[in-house]
Amino acid sequence: MTFFTRDQLNELMQIRQFPSVSFYLPVEKVTNDSRQGATVLRKMLRSAEDSLKEKGVRTPDISTLLQPAYALLDNALYWENQNLGLALFLSKEGMTEYKLPIRFAETMLVADRFLVRPLLGMFGQDGRYAILALSLSEAKLHICTRFSVVEVIMTPDPTSLADLKSTYEYHSTLNRTRSSAGSSQSGGYIVGGSQDHKDDDLIRTLEYFRMVDESLKKTLLDDKMPIVLACVDHLANRFREVAKDPRIQDKHISGSADQLKKDDFLAQGWEIVRPIFERGKNKAIEKMRNSLNSDLLLYDIRKILLAASHGQVETLFLQEGKTLNGSVERGLSPYSAADGPTSVEEEELFDFAATRVMAHGGKVFVLSADELPVAADCVAQLRYPFNG
């Protein structure tokens, strides 16, 4: 699995040409039938055709535009290898696709830009952290978000405790052989020193952990990224003592690293680091609370769009699941759509506001109704009072 990054989100947001078609659909298999996703996409493609015709796009141009998506319908292998959600973005430049670990509602939009709001849940309060799956046989490093996990090759390879012991045993045997040969020639003999095996194992284990720690520091250069250990309990405590890395969290994923599955990483790892990544969200919510009944909050989407187009919105809060369609006069924003209308019907206004806010360096949080301090579909925290 690969990450969907902020850079990719920004690339989608930069595209301004008509027509641009966005598809979001669920593709998680609930039965053995892997063709459910293809069935949903076929239905959405027909809807897109109707919408494009209504907006005056010629039939040959519609066929060319949608052809890459139609080509997926009969590709059985493609539908076998899916995640939870599929996002497709089509323009005259071609098609971009993302197989993502979040469940999308069926959504299609024809406009002069791509719909990005369904992707915002992957950002905002979410961030990247590392999981070090540690055992005496191997150490594996994973870079994770709330929704995804990717294994990263550690450099240098910290090998394993068994390999480390084998190296020592080889050199020890070699030295004994040489010593024995020398003793025979001199007529004497050497009695090998005895060492408690338990102490020897501990010494080798600590040395192995130092190797892992060195490799971890050279591989994971981000000094702010939280690290979660996934291992049996006694190894976690011992590794913390050796590494003394402030990025390593006090809590760990308990269990044998060899048997932990991806879902365990995502569920348990996220619970450990979530308080870290929600600090920004919680701080923004608290600031909104303190701004209630002031002129630093806006609730009207039209005013929010005006403020956002001038970089006035510091933070935009959107209620999860809420949408609002309407037309947008392109004079509200500092761009003009190439070969597109000056007013686009059926624009998803909350999504459009989010793109404007992020384009000016603001933050966007998609919250549940319970998290919002006010009963509103959207709230904008302003950098300075609105005078529009």
Side-chain angles (χ1 to χ4, degrees), residues 288 292 299 319 322 368-379:
M288 179 183 18
L292 293 176
Y299 307 92
Q319 187 177 150
K322 295 291 186 178
S368 67
D370 293 337
E371 290 179 295
L372 278 166
V374 293
D377 293 345
C378 64
V379 183

Side-chain angles (χ1 to χ4, degrees), residues 75-89:
N75 187 340
L77 184 61
Y78 180 83
W79 298 105
E80 282 287 348
N81 294 278
Q82 290 291 329
N83 209 304
L84 299 182
L86 177 63
L88 302 175
F89 304 99

Side-chain angles (χ1 to χ4, degrees), residues 122-169:
M122 301 189 72
F123 301 97
Q125 66 267 32
D126 300 333
R128 296 189 184 187
Y129 66 100
I131 290 180
L132 179 64
L134 183 65
S135 71
L136 297 180
S137 61
E138 63 180 352
K140 290 185 176 181
L141 181 64
H142 303 80
I143 305 300
C144 306
T145 69
R146 182 179 179 180
F147 300 102
S148 56
V149 52
V150 177
E151 184 176 347
V152 175
I153 302 301
M154 297 179 70
T155 305
D157 184 353
T159 185
S160 69
L161 180 60
D163 290 339
L164 181 64
K165 286 183 176 180
S166 296
T167 302
Y168 274 96
E169 289 171 0

Side-chain angles (χ1 to χ4, degrees), residues 2-13 98 100 119-120 122-123 128 145 148 150:
T2 57
F3 288 111
F4 179 78
T5 66
R6 287 187 179 275
D7 287 341
Q8 290 170 319
L9 178 66
N10 289 333
E11 287 175 7
L12 290 174
M13 289 169 51
Y98 296 104
L100 298 171
L119 300 170
L120 298 183
M122 301 189 72
F123 301 97
R128 296 189 184 187
T145 69
S148 56
V150 177

Side-chain angles (χ1 to χ4, degrees), residues 19 52 56-67:
L52 288 162
V57 182
R58 297 168 58 248
T59 299
D61 293 335
I62 294 175
S63 298
T64 301
L65 177 68
L66 301 182
Q67 191 279 329

